[in-house]
Amino acid sequence: MKHFIVEIIYTEPWEKIEPVVPEHRLFLQGYYDKGMLLMSGPQNPKVGGILVAKAESLQQIEAMIAEDPYNKHTIATYRIVEFNPVKYQDWMKSWVE
């Protein structure tokens, strides 16, 4: 399993982002239900968001992003960073391994 940090970068003002937030969060819930997301949330200040994810491949993360309402409404771009979690809290072991 590969691990990723996905930075969501808003390309429109918050006033255009805010109405899409409920749809975006509903979309994310599907990936929580699949076990692909560990956590997510907005940056402070609200210039974008962060996802901590795992997947079989980068292509699987890219496919997830393609379905994101922020992407479909063309109000955000994405930066994907793959990383190898070599240290983590014991309670995360089952998610990481």
Side-chain angles (χ1 to χ4, degrees):
M1 201 56 70
K2 298 177 182 221
H3 297 83
F4 302 88
I5 301 290
V6 179
E7 181 182 16
I8 300 168
I9 304 151
Y10 300 149
T11 56
E12 295 291 339
W14 177 246
E15 295 74 29
K16 289 190 176 184
I17 304 295
E18 189 173 24
V20 185
V21 170
E23 184 182 355
H24 168 72
R25 288 185 178 161
L26 183 62
F27 153 79
L28 291 178
Q29 187 59 51
Y31 285 92
Y32 277 104
D33 294 345
K34 293 177 184 177
M36 286 180 61
L37 291 176
L38 176 64
M39 66 179 75
S40 60
Q43 295 181 40
N44 187 16
K46 291 183 179 178
V47 295
I50 299 292
L51 308 175
V52 179
K54 67 178 180 178
E56 294 292 329
S57 65
L58 173 61
Q59 292 76 18
Q60 194 176 12
I61 295 295
E62 291 170 335
M64 177 183 73
I65 289 169
E67 297 175 10
D68 187 350
Y70 289 165
N71 190 40
K72 289 184 173 185
H73 289 275
T74 62
I75 56 176
T77 59
Y78 301 81
R79 179 174 165 256
I80 303 167
V81 178
E82 184 177 342
F83 74 103
N84 185 16
V86 295
K87 290 195 64 71
Y88 45 84
Q89 294 289 341
D90 288 339
W91 56 265
M92 288 186 59
K93 187 173 185 170
S94 64
W95 193 82
V96 171
E97 293 180 352

